[in-house]
Amino acid sequence: MKNVFIIGSKGIPANYGGFETFVDELVSRQQNTEIKYHVACLSDNDNETEYHGAHCFNVKVPNIGPAKAVYYDLAALKYCVKYIKDNNIDDAVVYILACRIGPFVGKYVKQLHKLNCKVYVNPDGHEWKRAKWNYFIRKYWKLSEKLMVKHADLLICDSRNIEKYIQEDYKQYSPKTTFIAYGADTSKSILQDDDEKLLNWYKEKGVQAKEYYLVVGRFVPENNYETMIKEFMKSNTKKDFVLITNVEQNKFYETLKNETHFDQDKRIKFVGTVYDQQLLKKIRENAYGYLHGHEVGGTNPSLLEALATTDLNLLLDVGFNKEVGEDGAVYWNKEEGNLANLINRLENINNDQLKELSIKAKQRIDSEYSWDYIVRKYEEVIYG
């Protein structure tokens, strides 16, 4: 039996973001019965539960602001070392998601190596580039990433571009890396076009099927909302731009509104969040096009979901996005007028071109990014 301890996600079942969904899929789609998963869960208690055969251990974390995530990962790592010792577990893998605890990880790696255990790390994306962090936090992230790379036995990168970056920037450590992408749910929505839930949502938001461009994601500067909104406003399309994102108490939203006056363009529609996954999937399916402006990070879950469901995808022309979309999408850059002109041209795209893009996008996701395929790749690495 191979024991695998996963820390760094908020826990399962998934109610949050990318890492949580990944762990949930890895556990619930498990194919190799010789693997036993142990998953850290952020909590206000120290209970232990089972979920799809995985041992879930809660980690009680005090509310200490930004340091909470670092505390959580370290507390979970300490638990893993103790559990492995107490249960005389041999040849386990501790898989750490993200690079939050680099300055502290060395001593735990030594302890785990003495117990004949390996430490794998998912370096995630370029967290140190994110605009939300101040100068000092960015410096910490970069240092932490460096030390995580130094001490890891294996780095599992969910983007070939991230793998290349790790190999180039940290070549002094000769890092051992492998590429396994993030996965996507490729099934269609269970909702029909005439479903009351969908029709009520359309009526409430003032939009119509195939008459809107869509974006889903966090409302942060590095996702290039400013460029997308400004360029959409310059375009001649009569379609709406529907933004599914949380902008409550968001300074960036207020700044952008004052700069662009997008609130005076009736096509720009901030519609809040959609937590019903089947409804969200149907909204994606019925979009005329999907706009994706992420330029920080590895394989982005919202991009995979868009390529799996939306016919026409307009992606920012950066390596992370091109390696996923390939020839199943169209691309734009941040030069003034570039995206607006692309939107104008796409008003007249013929059905054959649209169908070809849609088929290529779906085939790309089915062949390389389906969850069953991703789980199989992980199990090969874990048991290899």
Side-chain angles (χ1 to χ4, degrees), residues 133-169:
W133 303 123
N134 66 35
Y135 172 82
F136 298 104
I137 293 177
R138 285 191 199 188
K139 283 286 187 188
Y140 174 84
W141 269 110
K142 185 64 175 160
L143 172 66
S144 188
E145 178 182 86
K146 178 181 176 180
L147 293 170
M148 294 292 277
V149 171
K150 179 183 177 182
H151 291 293
D153 295 302
L154 176 68
L155 293 124
I156 302 177
C157 307
D158 68 15
S159 154
R160 293 191 191 280
N161 277 262
I162 288 288
E163 184 177 24
K164 185 182 174 199
Y165 154 75
I166 295 287
Q167 288 286 353
E168 289 175 356
D169 268 43

Side-chain angles (χ1 to χ4, degrees), residues 3-4 6 66 73 81 115 117 165 170 176 184 193 199 202 208 221 232 240 274 293 304 317 332 383:
N3 287 273
V4 179
I6 302 176
D73 283 1
V81 173
L115 295 165
C117 300
Y165 154 75
Y170 301 112
K176 187 182 176 190
D193 285 332
L199 296 179
Y202 279 151
Q208 293 178 303
F232 197 93
D240 293 317
V274 177
L304 296 178
D317 192 351
W332 52 274
Y383 225 78

